Structure formats: structure tokens, C-alpha cells
Amino acid sequence: MGQPRIPVAILGATGAVGQRFVQLLADHPWFEIVTVAASERSAGRTYADACNWVISGDPPAAIGQLTVDSLEPTVDGRIVFSALPSSVAREVEPLFARAGYAVCSNASAFREEPDVPLVIPELNADHLALIERQRSLRGWRGFIITSPNCTTTGIAIPLKPLDEAFGLRQVFAVSMQAISGAGYPGVASLDILNNVIPYIGGEEEKLERETRLLLGEVRDGERIGADITISAQTNRVPVLDGHTVCLSLGFDRAPSVDEAIGALAGFRGQPAAAGLPSSPARILIVRSEPDRPQPRRDRDAEGGMAVSVGRVRPCPLLDLRLVSVSHNTLRGAAGGSILNAELLVAEGYVR
Ligand code: NAP
């Protein structure tokens, strides 16, 4: 017989990201969902009744029968996945961390706190070193780690190997973001159909700051952001899932197109991330067709855990241009957070 699975709870389980957690964790080899929790509106109802399931198919039968809990830090489970709105996460996640849970958060509430790791395992697994500092500073038995904003994830992954090889200095990023990124019910259909909305509150600042943190380092317990100038413009477009970002990049040493493609295609990520149950075989997929990547065709690559890039070409403004596509609720939210939890287990932070 194999090891017993680690019991986990999902906070905000009824929302757009919470549903992805349920979908991905239902048959997870290491984790077993024992608690689904949401607002007072849902608490006390069965999950199937409380949840308006917006992804394909139906909720897994066993989870559908669970009764939704409220957000009390006494739930069953050792790992707590948080898919709560940021304002709620700010209040609730510390209660769980203090009570001894390992909190893997999707919310932005603690991403920029100097003692809270912001992690994509292939990029900066070593930032988990902040956990000890967090525990001793805050006196918590548990801890919080965070995964980045969904759009940040889709650009930080291709930027990492380019930065390592050529020294990234400037990023100009224009996003076209799917409506599932706004949660449920999200953007009104009368606003988004036949339209583009050139504003997503707080998104540009998150993209700029979080990317610098992910590409930065932890030195002597201090998190130091990368010295990169980033200008982001973010747009909501009528696509269901999958964020597209057009990037222009400036480097210390401008690569040729072939050198850039070589660095992207050869990216394997930090060894600590290899072989985890949710690690994709290919982290980055370089498309050579002139009209790829596209969200409808490329967002599900490697189960939604790979980032697809293409249109790698010279840039007359900076040095190089390319386009990236990533799945915002899989790699950019629930899948990324589950990968973080797997890393915690593999590195001995959760037993
Ligand atoms: P959502 O669809 O609006 O879901 C919110 C969830 O939180 C629901 O389960 C809801 O429960 C619960 N909730 C809301 N208010 C609450 C309260 N006062 N007390 C307790 N529970 C409450 O949002 P989402 O898109 O899933 O996003 C969840 C988090 O992930 C956000 O912080 C978001 O920024 C982040 N995120 C989202 C994406 C994305 O692509 N969507 C990507 C990365 C990160 P009820 O159903 O009971 O109301």
C-alpha cells in the first residue's frame, strides 16, 4: 500500500479558482480534499448545491456531497489552499497560519510581504527559505506561501531563461486577459461581448512588482527584487480562459532570435521542481507557426501547466519581441498553487 494522502482544505472552493482546485485535487496522488469552505452564503449546503459549476462537466461526485464549511481555522486538513478574494484572505489566512496550517494562497493579500515567499517552483523554489523567517517573526506554527497573479505567471516563466542568459533590463508588456480571470460572475456580458476593456484594477502594478520579485533573489533572509524596468498595459478581452501577453524586451546583451529560442526551448527550471506530480514535462513550448500561440489552441498544453510562446523576432524599439499564452486558472492559479504545495512536501515543509 502507498502512503496515506495528505488531507487538504480549499477556502473559496465555490469560486472560479476554487472549482479548478476541486477538479485538479479530486484524483491527486498526494493530497485528499477533506474540507471545502466558502462564505456564509454557502456554508451548511452541500458543495454541489452551493456551487455554480462553471467549468466543463460536473463536480466530482464525492466532493459534491461534502458540506461546505465556514472559514474557521479548525477545519480538517494540513494544507489549506486559499482561493479567497484578497480582502477576505488578508483577515483569514493569518488565522490559519497561526493555527499551524500550511497556507498556499492565490490571493494578492500577502504576495509582497517581505517574509512571505512568492513562488513558481521552476523559477525560485529557493525562496521557500523565507518561511523560517516568517515563522519566527510572526510566531506562527504554520505559514503562508503565495503564487503570483495569473498574468505575471505567464510572463515570468519565459522571462526567466532569457534573463539568466542575456540579462533582462526592460520589459514592455501588453496583455489580453480572459474573462475567467475576473472570477464568477465577473465582468457583465454587456460590458465584454464585442468589446475590449483597457483597465483591470491593480493588475498593471501587480505585473510590474511581482515579476521583479520572482526574478529576484533571497539573500541572507532578505528578498531583493530584480533590477528590471517593466511597463505593463492590461486589457480584458472576450476570451473564456487563457491570457495572451505581447512582450518587447531589452537586454544587457541582445540575443539573436536563434539564441533566444534556444534559451527558451532549453529551459528546465530549478531541479527542486522536477518530477513533482503537477510538473509539466515541458515548462515552455516554443511555437514556430506565424500565428501561434493562441489562447483557444494553446492554453491547455501539458494539462494547462505549460506556457506557450511564439512570434520570437527582433524588436525595433527594444531588442526582442514575443507572444506568450498561459492558462490563467490552471498554471496561473490552482495548478500553480498545487505545484507549490507539492514542492513544500518534497522539501520537507509539510509532512
Ligand atoms: P470568485 O469566483 O469570486 O470566488 C470567490 C470565492 O471566495 C467563492 O468561493 C466565495 O464563496 C468566496 N468568498 C467571497 N466572499 C467571501 C467572504 N466574505 N467570506 C468567505 N468567503 C468568501 O473569485 P476567483 O476568480 O475564484 O478568485 C479567487 C482568488 O484567486 C482571488 O483572490 C483572485 O484574485 C485570485 N486569482 C484568480 C485568478 C483567476 O484567473 N480567476 C488567477 C489568480 C489568482 P461564495 O460562493 O460562498 O460566495
Side-chain angles (χ1 to χ4, degrees), residues 12-18 37-39 41-42 71 83-86 88 106-108 111 148-150 180-184 243 328-329 332-333:
T14 49
V17 174
S39 75
R41 181 192 72 77
S42 306
L71 304 178
L84 293 167
S86 199
V88 183
N106 273 266
S108 60
R111 285 181 195 144
N149 164 278
C150 41
S180 62
Y184 186 82
H243 291 350
N328 53 297
T329 59

Side-chain angles (χ1 to χ4, degrees), residues 142-155:
F143 54 86
I144 300 174
I145 75 165
T146 58
S147 45
N149 164 278
C150 41
T151 318
T152 305
T153 301
I155 68 164

